[in-house]
Amino acid sequence: MDNNNQPLEETQDQDSVMNLSDTWSALSPDERREKFKELPRTEAEELFLSLKTHDQAELIAEASHLEKRSWIRLLAPDDVADLIQEMGLDQKEDLLSLLDPQTKREVIALLAYAEDAAGGLMSSRFVRLRPDMTVDEAISYIRIQAKTHVETIYYAYVLDSDQKLLGVVSFRELFSAAPGKKISEIMHTDILKVPPEMDQEQIGRIFSQQDLMAVPVVDEHGVMKGIVTFDDVATAIQEEATEDIHKIGAVETLDAPYLKISMFEMLKKRGGWLMILFLGEMFTATAMAFFEDELSKAVVLSMFIPLIISSGGNSGSQASTLIIRAIALREVRLRDWWRVLGRELVTGLCLGALLGVIGFTRIMLWPNREALYTSHYMLVAATVCVSVIGVVLWGTISGSMLPFVLKKIGFDPASASAPAVATLVDVTGLVIYFTVASMILHGVLL
């Protein structure tokens, strides 16, 4: 009877861990610690290993010395390195002292590399084979290595006595080969590998293009240092995408989940950009003051200021977002700026003409148009139409070219955020609007 109930109990425990993992971000720190302590050891280990590094650090920070030692020894060396970087290098020695000598050496080696480089992402635990092994010997040896918690067993890497990478063998090829064959006879020597200094964004592109599960990290001397697996890269890509999205929204990158950021940190992350944009928008007031005479003579022009500048800002934000993402995906390179400019010139003219016609039609068909827009409503409609075309065209060009300019001078193209482009186009849009108005309405309303 007890044996029959055991699978059901295990399923229920797994469900409870999955439910807790799904709701983890919505819980307060105290609730997390309380629920974590209530779990049986096996389920607690499963949950701990499924949590993000930030959440693991939060739990370990409150644990006793013995508990810390117990939890940190569950992690692979690359995960321990991530945890130390998350908790701060001031706790590095304390955390390293909790590890066994072998893992400690591996973690110290990983910490020597930048966190967002291949060396910082890699695991030093992978399946190693010698070229002179037979297939039977290799399979037996892999069984032994599998017990040491290697990162992945999709591939086995063939190394010489100096730990230089000679080839790679997939498990499928290994098990389908004749038992007496040498590994050197079945291994592939044409290997895709990455240097320890390669940025995580570049590695992510390699994974997406080559459809790999793992890629070896090899130094300049051909010595294999570790492997970067798909799950490590998936996390890194998510972080890169999140960082770009924050920049596009004119927000400094958040160092923790939204609900875990303190109010002071949130204000600091958002306030800096807002102050810069606010100072930029002050030039809008300066531009309006410059055209004060035109506004006093034709008050009707002020009615369309929000329409004009928002159209330019919206088109510029669209263009910058598209180009920033295209650059990130390597769909567009710096040398393609002229091709982008040509496309955006045509696009800006078409979109501007479309919006301009809508604005013109709206004024012409509006009831009481003479009372609202004076008896020269047709000229006012023409002014709005031409201004919208000019502002949308300018917004599109500005939004598409600014990421290229930033990349050329060494800045992140994502810094060409939608609010920044909108602020730029607001000021210049007013200049375009009143210049067009001065030309069309000269001698009539102005």
Side-chain angles (χ1 to χ4, degrees):
M1 190 72 174
D2 292 339
N3 290 337
N4 291 336
N5 288 335
Q6 189 175 357
L8 178 59
E9 290 173 1
E10 289 179 357
T11 302
Q12 289 173 341
D13 289 338
Q14 289 172 355
D15 289 343
S16 65
V17 171
M18 288 178 64
N19 292 336
L20 186 54
S21 180
D22 290 340
T23 59
W24 191 261
S25 59
L27 300 175
S28 67
D30 290 336
E31 288 173 327
R32 290 174 192 153
R33 283 190 288 270
E34 183 180 341
K35 289 186 178 294
F36 186 71
K37 288 178 180 178
E38 291 173 357
L39 291 172
R41 176 67 189 193
T42 305
E43 283 71 45
E45 288 181 3
E46 184 182 342
L47 176 64
F48 183 77
L49 292 173
S50 71
L51 293 175
K52 293 181 179 179
T53 304
H54 180 84
D55 296 319
Q56 291 174 341
E58 189 179 71
L59 289 173
I60 284 183
E62 301 295 325
S64 65
H65 180 80
L66 287 176
E67 287 175 329
K68 279 183 182 177
R69 184 175 180 273
S70 172
W71 293 117
I72 200 170
R73 288 196 172 201
L74 282 175
L75 301 173
D78 54 328
D79 294 327
V80 176
D82 291 340
L83 186 68
I84 290 173
Q85 288 167 331
E86 177 67 32
M87 296 185 73
L89 295 180
D90 56 320
Q91 298 191 47
K92 174 183 173 182
E93 294 305 322
D94 290 338
L95 294 173
L96 287 174
S97 67
L98 303 174
L99 302 170
D100 61 86
Q102 174 61 29
T103 306
K104 183 177 179 179
R105 285 193 295 271
E106 292 178 32
V107 172
I108 290 172
L110 291 172
L111 289 172
Y113 298 102
E115 187 178 0
D116 58 354
L121 294 172
M122 72 182 181
S123 170
S124 53
R125 294 184 176 178
F126 53 91
V127 179
R128 307 160 193 251
L129 298 176
R130 296 192 308 274
D132 57 345
M133 280 181 166
T134 65
V135 168
D136 257 359
E137 289 173 338
I139 292 172
S140 299
Y141 187 56
I142 286 169
R143 286 197 184 102
I144 297 170
Q145 290 190 73
K147 296 176 183 177
T148 63
H149 303 96
V150 292
E151 182 75 10
T152 180
I153 54 173
Y154 291 110
Y155 308 109
Y157 298 92
V158 187
L159 310 180
D160 66 11
S161 58
D162 296 322
Q163 300 301 299
K164 292 185 177 180
L165 180 61
L166 302 177
V168 62
V169 181
S170 72
F171 264 48
R172 183 177 181 180
E173 292 167 330
L174 194 61
F175 282 99
S176 62
K181 264 199 169 184
K182 297 284 188 183
I183 294 299
S184 57
E185 297 178 58
I186 63 170
M187 70 181 186
H188 294 278
T189 55
D190 184 18
I191 313 164
L192 179 62
K193 48 200 173 188
V194 299
E197 301 79 20
M198 182 175 283
D199 182 74
Q200 62 186 13
E201 199 170 353
Q202 292 176 273
I203 300 171
R205 280 193 290 271
I206 289 172
F207 270 88
S208 62
Q209 291 166 2
Q210 302 294 329
D211 195 25
L212 299 170
M213 295 302 297
V215 64
V217 181
V218 179
D219 69 11
E220 67 274 16
H221 304 296
V223 176
M224 186 166 173
K225 296 296 185 179
I227 57 170
V228 178
T229 57
F230 179 78
D231 58 335
D232 294 326
V233 172
T235 303
I237 291 172
Q238 184 183 34
E239 290 171 356
E240 291 280 355
T242 300
E243 184 179 340
D244 286 347
I245 290 168
H246 286 161
K247 286 181 179 178
I248 289 171
V251 178
E252 286 186 44
T253 305
L254 302 183
D255 302 320
Y258 175 83
L259 292 175
K260 297 179 186 176
I261 292 285
S262 67
M263 187 56 68
F264 175 75
E265 280 294 313
M266 184 65 76
L267 292 173
K268 191 167 73 171
K269 297 287 186 183
R270 297 168 67 173
W273 262 109
L274 282 179
M275 286 189 289
I276 293 170
L277 295 173
F278 183 77
L279 290 171
E281 286 288 1
M282 284 183 171
F283 288 104
T284 304
T286 304
M288 291 186 69
F290 184 80
F291 293 104
E292 186 178 2
D293 288 343
E294 285 81 354
L295 276 172
S296 62
K297 294 175 184 176
V299 180
V300 67
L301 294 177
S302 63
M303 298 172 62
F304 298 99
I305 290 176
L307 175 71
I308 300 294
I309 62 177
S310 66
S311 298
N314 291 340
S315 66
S317 299
Q318 279 186 340
S320 67
T321 302
L322 288 171
I323 299 306
I324 289 168
R325 192 57 185 158
I327 290 174
L329 295 174
R330 294 292 181 92
E331 297 171 351
V332 169
R333 299 179 184 272
L334 194 59
R335 63 174 179 265
D336 297 322
W337 69 269
W338 64 273
R339 293 176 61 191
V340 173
L341 178 61
R343 288 174 64 91
E344 292 302 318
L345 274 170
V346 176
T347 302
L349 277 172
C350 292
L351 292 175
L354 175 63
L355 298 181
V357 169
I358 293 173
F360 184 87
T361 305
R362 187 263 192 198
I363 294 172
M364 295 299 295
L365 299 180
W366 199 257
N368 303 319
R369 55 182 179 269
E370 291 189 25
L372 281 172
Y373 309 125
T374 75
S375 57
H376 304 288
Y377 62 85
M378 185 175 289
L379 291 177
V380 172
T383 300
V384 170
C385 179
V386 175
S387 298
V388 166
I389 293 172
V391 171
V392 169
L393 177 60
W394 169 245
T396 303
I397 293 172
S398 302
S400 61
M401 291 296 105
L402 189 56
F404 285 107
V405 173
L406 291 173
K407 187 172 178 63
K408 179 66 176 178
I409 61 178
F411 287 99
D412 188 342
S415 300
S417 62
V421 173
T423 300
L424 171 66
V425 177
D426 283 355
V427 179
T428 52
L430 281 174
V431 175
I432 293 171
Y433 178 39
F434 284 110
T435 301
V436 171
S438 299
M439 294 171 61
I440 295 176
L441 299 176
H442 181 71
V444 180
L445 294 178
L446 301 177

